[in-house]
């Protein structure tokens, strides 16, 4: 499966949120994991690990416990854009490496 390159992060999250809205326990982390799996160059995972990692990078405006009720398409798109900035600043290959770094930092901290 390949992501539509014309679909913005905001539109992709909004579209997927519509499908997942009635699925209990499928929160923002699951939605962003799906998007990230489809296109790790454009979409990042948004979970507690990555939010904490972004805090280390100086971005402190995101919900500490992201879920479907406190993350909307605009917040997701902003998170992806800022995660891409962090990824580029660290000279990582793609958002998969950033996700792995955030997971490592979370589990070793």
């Amino acid at each position: 499966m390949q992501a539509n390159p014309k679909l913005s992060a905001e539109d992709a999250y909004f579209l997927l949120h519509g499908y997942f809205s009635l699925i209990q326990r499928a929160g923002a982390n699951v939605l962003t994991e799906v998007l990230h799996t489809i296109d790790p160059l454009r979409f990042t995972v948004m979970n507690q690990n990555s939010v904490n990692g972004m805090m280390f990078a100086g971005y402190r405006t995101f919900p500490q416990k992201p879920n479907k009720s406190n993350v909307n398409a605009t917040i997701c798109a902003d998170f992806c854009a800022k995660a891409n900035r962090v990824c580029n600043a660290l000279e990582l290959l793609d958002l998969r490496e950033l996700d792995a770094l955030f997971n490592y930092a979370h589990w070793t901290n």
Side-chain angles (χ1 to χ4, degrees), residues 1-3 14 16 22 24 31 33 37 42 48 51 55 59 62 78 91 94 97 99 107 109:
M1 177 182 244
Q2 189 173 21
F14 181 79
L16 199 56
L22 299 176
Q24 291 182 350
L31 277 89
E33 285 276 3
T37 299
R42 293 191 307 139
Q48 287 180 319
V51 169
M55 287 178 65
Y59 296 106
F62 299 106
D78 187 37
E91 299 180 0
D94 60 29
E97 288 190 356
D99 185 49
W107 292 110
N109 196 0

Side-chain angles (χ1 to χ4, degrees), residues 9-11 13-14 17 28 32 35 44-47 50-51 54 59-83:
E10 188 169 358
D11 290 340
Y13 184 88
F14 181 79
H17 188 277
T32 58
L35 293 172
T44 191
V45 176
M46 186 176 191
N47 57 25
S50 60
V51 169
M54 292 292 279
Y59 296 106
R60 303 181 189 288
T61 59
F62 299 106
Q64 290 214 330
K65 294 185 178 187
N67 60 57
K68 284 188 292 195
S69 65
N70 66 11
V71 174
N72 60 30
T74 303
I75 292 170
C76 178
D78 187 37
F79 193 81
C80 286
K82 289 175 178 164

Side-chain angles (χ1 to χ4, degrees), residues 19-32:
Y19 290 112
F20 278 63
S21 63
L22 299 176
I23 302 172
Q24 291 182 350
R25 303 188 58 83
N29 61 326
V30 174
L31 277 89
T32 58

